[in-house]
Amino acid sequence: MNRILQEVIEHAATWPEEDQKELAEYAREIEARRTGIYTMSDDERTAVRKGLAEADRGEFVSDEFIADADKRHDG
């Protein structure tokens, strides 16, 4: 491990939890890019499960909602 990374990790141990999580997310993105394997966080896994459960119940956004979102996206 290079000196700069070692120093950052040592300092990061004193950071607030939110900042430590942000640093960990950046590291996970780098790891995914290097390995081609993305590992979901617990929050992402929870969100996916929630979305799948909604889909299983037939809960989808309306076509009108999508059309409005498309209009806003197109400018």
Side-chain angles (χ1 to χ4, degrees):
M1 179 181 315
N2 74 37
R3 181 184 54 79
I4 295 171
L5 179 57
Q6 183 66 38
E7 288 175 6
V8 169
I9 291 172
E10 289 170 7
H11 290 282
T14 68
W15 296 353
E17 180 76 17
E18 183 177 316
D19 292 342
Q20 290 181 25
K21 286 182 179 181
E22 184 179 354
L23 179 61
E25 281 300 311
Y26 286 124
R28 284 178 358 99
E29 289 175 14
I30 292 169
E31 181 69 12
R33 185 185 72 231
R34 293 181 52 77
T35 64
I37 299 170
Y38 182 80
T39 304
M40 288 190 289
S41 68
D42 290 339
D43 289 342
E44 290 168 325
R45 192 172 288 104
T46 298
V48 168
R49 286 184 182 135
K50 179 183 175 193
L52 290 172
E54 289 171 352
D56 287 344
R57 293 189 303 268
E59 298 173 3
F60 300 98
V61 297
S62 68
D63 290 341
E64 181 181 277
F65 180 89
I66 297 298
D68 288 344
D70 285 344
K71 289 177 190 172
R72 286 192 304 268
H73 176 70
D74 291 338

